Amino acid sequence: METPVDALIKDEHESPRWKKSTVVFVLGGPGSGKGTQCANLVKHFSYTHFSAGDLLRAEIKSGSQFGAMIQSTIVEGRIVPSEITVKLLCKAMEESGNDKFLIDGFPRNEENRIVFENVAKIEPAFVLFFDCPEEELERRIMSRNQGREDDNIETINKRFKVFVESTLPIISYYESKGKLRKINAAKPSEEVFEAVKVLFAS
């Protein structure tokens, strides 16, 4: 079934803006501070910040036919195909009018990475990895009061296990290509951003 974003991907007459963009993938375990640091980068360096999960939720909320298909996939307990997530990212980049993007929490696994490269046909400038011990991540998540149902010890441990199994191979891949920028995220937020700023100011 052709989706509302397929025409954008298939356009042969004009090269989409995102193909000339600077893309930075932002990875880190749950509670590592990705969202906070991305907000800082948007403010200081004029990047546009996208979260793959937020884009999927927004598409569902829009009530579109495409959103309904995504919702039914989630309700049935299936994983949303990487191609759908990537197409939403490409659509969001094209519509943003910017040419510098932070993509938060993506790619989550090897399939995400391969599909992004094949569909968007660009590689990230680098991958920003917020490295933080599991004990510190657990402490942070348990102390924050965001009302999230998945903020309990058992679920946190499961989320961290999934992160290790799925995302660490991605981190190793980009490290082998010389594209990994690792930040010690166990430090206070202000210190973390000082280290991050050096990467983006250069």
Side-chain angles (χ1 to χ4, degrees), residues 64-77:
S64 70
Q65 185 179 357
F66 193 36
M69 185 186 75
I70 294 169
Q71 185 171 31
S72 68
T73 301
I74 294 171
V75 168
E76 290 166 13

Side-chain angles (χ1 to χ4, degrees), residues 121-144:
K121 292 184 168 49
I122 55 174
E123 288 192 17
F126 60 89
V127 176
L128 186 59
F129 172 44
F130 292 106
D131 192 20
C132 194
E134 182 176 3
E135 298 76 22
E136 174 63 14
L137 296 177
E138 184 179 297
R139 185 193 67 75
R140 289 180 183 180
I141 295 173
M142 292 305 294
S143 64
R144 72 186 182 188

Side-chain angles (χ1 to χ4, degrees), residues 5-16 18-19 94:
V5 293
D6 278 331
L8 181 65
I9 304 296
K10 292 177 180 177
D11 189 357
E12 297 174 356
H13 303 294
E14 183 179 353
S15 178
W18 82 75
K19 293 191 177 182
E94 177 70 7

Side-chain angles (χ1 to χ4, degrees), residues 4-6 46 65 86 102 110 148 151 157 194:
V5 293
D6 278 331
S46 302
Q65 185 179 357
V86 170
L102 302 166
E110 192 70 2
R148 285 180 56 160
D151 281 356
N157 290 338
E194 287 304 313

Side-chain angles (χ1 to χ4, degrees), residues 51-170:
S51 158
D54 287 350
L55 289 174
L56 289 169
R57 285 186 285 273
E59 191 67 28
I60 291 170
K61 194 175 180 181
S62 74
S64 70
Q65 185 179 357
F66 193 36
M69 185 186 75
I70 294 169
Q71 185 171 31
S72 68
T73 301
I74 294 171
V75 168
E76 290 166 13
R78 294 182 289 127
I79 296 171
V80 177
S82 295
E83 188 177 18
I84 289 176
T85 305
V86 170
K87 285 178 179 178
L88 285 176
L89 284 168
C90 290
K91 178 173 178 274
M93 287 191 289
E94 177 70 7
E95 292 176 348
S96 74
N98 200 353
D99 62 355
K100 299 189 297 183
F101 303 102
L102 302 166
I103 301 183
D104 173 4
F106 184 93
R108 289 184 181 273
N109 52 45
E110 192 70 2
E111 185 201 10
N112 278 176
R113 178 188 70 75
I114 292 168
V115 172
F116 186 86
E117 289 181 2
N118 289 342
V119 174
K121 292 184 168 49
I122 55 174
E123 288 192 17
F126 60 89
V127 176
L128 186 59
F129 172 44
F130 292 106
D131 192 20
C132 194
E134 182 176 3
E135 298 76 22
E136 174 63 14
L137 296 177
E138 184 179 297
R139 185 193 67 75
R140 289 180 183 180
I141 295 173
M142 292 305 294
S143 64
R144 72 186 182 188
N145 185 19
Q146 295 184 350
R148 285 180 56 160
E149 293 177 7
D150 55 356
D151 281 356
N152 61 69
I153 290 286
E154 185 180 350
T155 308
I156 291 165
N157 290 338
K158 283 181 182 176
R159 286 167 66 196
F160 190 79
K161 186 170 183 282
V162 168
F163 169 74
V164 170
E165 291 175 352
S166 300
T167 311
L168 287 188
I170 299 295

